[in-house]
């Protein structure tokens, strides 16, 4: 088929157009390369797509060794909140992992102490061992006991279940009950509890209970009437002069400077002492009791207790005897002093000195 002059002209025009486009692209490429070389020679970099550009169209460049552009500093509250969410604080100083099973609780949103305690009371009622609550104050940077009626807010809380008391060691059922109850409470507040391993805690509790059972001793001495019953009025006056105080348990207490009971004096008969009833009361005797694990310097306290027993006997016409009504002589006193030193020494060796805060909790 013959090609017309029109077709030949169109083919020629197309070829010229393609050559022109190719030449134009080459020229543009060369122009941009020269511009880039010029910028590089003065240390300026072209903007990259997607990088932030400063006001006025110029990109802010990082310069090594130069002062960084100012950035808005986070507030103190933002720092405290971030820290509370990310860094678990150490345990409260009031707890002791030898004697407590401590469960940390983390909440992204701070919880109100009163609301949390109210929910905990509902889900954790009836636990067989003492349970204490603490919240970590971001502003004070310390743990503090939870106020069940307080409005303080916390990101971190912890529950400390005492593993041992005079009723014995905590059981697996006690720990399971606490774990289940805590989970229900935390679900209501969108918090996360982190209970430690139960088996290790139960083993620690059993070992500590054996130690406590071995040193749990109380020393008792009686002052009994010889001929006439003791007058309650005279007895009360004598005890107040000696510094003893009648408390709500119906016993007179000798207490140290911190208010901790050193020894108690109770009625030998099955009648409690009361402030109103002492004037008309008579009794055949009284009993003085020293709780060895709960008293620091047990030998000295024993000496003071025996001194008071002798004064009561002399003032009211009585005799100092043991539970078998045998006279309480020097030989018995020496034996008791040796026992007190032995048991309190064992406690000190285990890092639980008699009369210390931990001892007071364990022997309660």
């Amino acid at each position: 088929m013959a090609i017309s002059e029109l077709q030949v002209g169109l083919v020629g025009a197309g070829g010229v157009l393609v050559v022109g486009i190719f030449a134009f692209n080459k020229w543009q490429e060369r122009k941009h390369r020269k511009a880039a070389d010029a910028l590089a020679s003065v240390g300026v970099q072209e903007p990259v797509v997607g990088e932030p550009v400063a006001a006025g169209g110029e990109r802010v460049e990082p310069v090594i060794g130069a002062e960084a552009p100012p950035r808005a500093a986070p507030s103190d509250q933002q720092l405290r909140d971030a820290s509370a969410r990310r860094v678990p604080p150490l345990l409260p100083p009031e707890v002791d992992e030898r004697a407590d099973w401590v469960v940390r609780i983390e909440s992204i949103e701070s919880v109100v102490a009163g609301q949390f305690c109210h929910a905990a009371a509902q889900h954790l009622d009836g636990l067989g061992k003492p349970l204490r609550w603490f919240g970590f104050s971001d502003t004070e940077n310390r743990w503090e006991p939870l106020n069940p009626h307080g409005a303080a807010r916390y990101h971190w809380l912890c529950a400390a279940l005492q593993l041992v008391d005079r009723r014995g060691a905590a059981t697996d059922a006690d720990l399971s009950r606490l774990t289940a109850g805590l989970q229900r409470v935390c679900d209501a507040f969108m918090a996360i509890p982190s209970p430690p391993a139960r088996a290790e805690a139960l083993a620690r509790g059993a070992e500590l209970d054996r130690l406590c059972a071995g040193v749990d001793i109380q020393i008792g001495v009686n002052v009994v009437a010889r001929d006439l019953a003791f007058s309650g009025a005279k007895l009360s006056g004598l005890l107040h002069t000696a510094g003893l105080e009648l408390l709500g348990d119906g016993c007179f207490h000798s207490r140290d400077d911190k208010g901790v009971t050193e020894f108690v004096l109770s009625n030998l008969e099955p009648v409690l002492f009361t402030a109103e009833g002492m004037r008309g009361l008579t009794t055949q005797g009284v009993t003085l009791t020293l709780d060895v694990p709960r008293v620091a310097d047990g030998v000295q306290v024993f000496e003071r207790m025996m001194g008071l027993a002798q004064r009561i006997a002399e003032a009211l016409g009585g005799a100092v005897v043991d539970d078998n009504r045998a006279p309480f002589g020097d030989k018995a006193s020496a034996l008791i002093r040796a026992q007190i030193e032995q048991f309190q020494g064992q406690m000190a060796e285990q890092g639980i000195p008699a009369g210390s805060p931990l001892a007071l909790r364990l022997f309660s």
Side-chain angles (χ1 to χ4, degrees), residues 98-269:
R98 294 172 298 174
D100 297 305
W101 195 57
V102 187
V103 181
R104 284 188 176 92
I105 299 169
E106 180 184 10
S107 177
I108 300 301
E109 297 295 332
S110 60
V111 299
V112 178
Q115 296 176 355
F116 193 90
C117 288
H118 178 72
Q122 293 179 325
H123 292 287
L124 295 170
D125 184 40
L127 286 175
K129 290 289 179 282
L131 178 65
R132 296 179 298 160
W133 290 97
F134 300 90
F136 188 79
S137 171
D138 296 333
T139 55
E140 300 294 333
N141 195 36
R142 61 180 174 85
W143 288 98
E144 52 194 24
L146 283 194
N147 181 351
H149 307 292
R153 307 183 71 97
Y154 303 101
H155 288 103
W156 284 95
L157 305 99
C158 77
L161 181 73
Q162 188 170 313
L163 292 172
V164 175
D165 58 19
R166 274 185 161 149
R167 294 169 294 176
T171 65
D172 187 62
D174 293 325
L175 271 57
S176 297
R177 185 171 186 175
L178 174 60
T179 301
L182 277 180
Q183 189 62 62
R184 291 192 295 270
V185 176
C186 291
D187 287 345
F189 290 89
M190 299 183 67
I192 304 172
S194 301
R198 292 207 298 261
E200 181 182 349
L202 292 171
R204 289 201 316 269
E207 180 179 356
L208 183 59
D209 186 52
R210 286 191 293 271
L211 168 66
C212 291
V215 298
D216 192 1
I217 181 174
Q218 293 177 317
I219 305 297
V221 60
N222 305 302
V223 183
V224 297
R226 293 183 186 271
D227 300 318
L228 299 177
F230 295 161
S231 163
K234 291 183 178 180
L235 176 63
S236 178
L238 184 61
L239 296 179
H240 282 300
T241 301
L244 274 69
E245 182 180 359
L246 180 57
L247 300 184
D249 61 355
C251 300
F252 285 88
H253 288 243
S254 173
R255 301 199 284 181
D256 63 15
D257 296 338
K258 297 180 181 179
V260 177
T261 295
E262 295 180 316
F263 62 87
V264 300
L265 182 145
S266 59
N267 195 348
L268 186 61
E269 299 180 4

